Amino acid sequence: MIAQDIVIRPIITEKAMQDITAKKYVFEVAKNATKIDVKRAVEELFKVKVEKVNTVHVRGQMRRQGRFEGYTRSWKKAYVQLSADSKPIEFFEGMM
């Protein structure tokens, strides 16, 4: 898999934005991507040095619309911690 297939999108929420000053970023990643895959993809895409990666499987939630019910899609989230000597990711700089 190439880096663009592994990192799908950044997660932009209040909780995710709190840790940007500590160089922690949150991304939605491919469900079959490993921590090593995520580390290599972020380093390649953003030209930074990754120190640690934590991943979480997010289960789909039950939703109803009238008498019809179903689940939202499940996905994988990755918390990426950059090393202290690494530069911050420029994409997030304008959002702080």
Side-chain angles (χ1 to χ4, degrees):
M1 290 173 56
I2 59 173
Q4 289 83 359
D5 291 339
I6 295 172
V7 177
I8 297 172
R9 68 183 178 99
I11 304 297
I12 310 294
T13 61
E14 287 184 28
K15 189 173 181 180
M17 292 292 115
Q18 288 176 350
D19 293 334
I20 286 183
T21 56
K23 294 186 180 179
K24 272 190 177 177
Y25 301 96
V26 185
F27 296 98
E28 179 182 346
V29 295
K31 288 175 81 170
N32 59 349
T34 63
K35 291 181 181 185
I36 296 168
D37 293 337
V38 172
K39 179 179 178 177
R40 288 181 185 153
V42 170
E43 286 179 347
E44 180 184 331
L45 288 173
F46 301 108
K47 308 291 189 269
V48 294
K49 180 71 176 137
V50 175
E51 183 177 307
K52 186 166 89 170
V53 175
N54 293 327
T55 58
V56 178
H57 284 279
V58 180
R59 293 190 331 180
Q61 296 180 343
M62 173 69 83
R63 292 285 185 235
R64 284 189 50 180
Q65 189 164 8
R67 65 187 176 111
F68 302 103
E69 59 183 29
Y71 286 90
T72 59
R73 68 184 185 90
S74 60
W75 52 288
K76 192 171 190 178
K77 185 186 333 187
Y79 294 91
V80 177
Q81 172 71 50
L82 301 184
S83 63
D85 60 339
S86 177
K87 65 180 179 71
I89 296 176
E90 295 174 10
F91 175 79
F92 293 94
E93 288 301 310
M95 297 181 194
M96 293 176 42

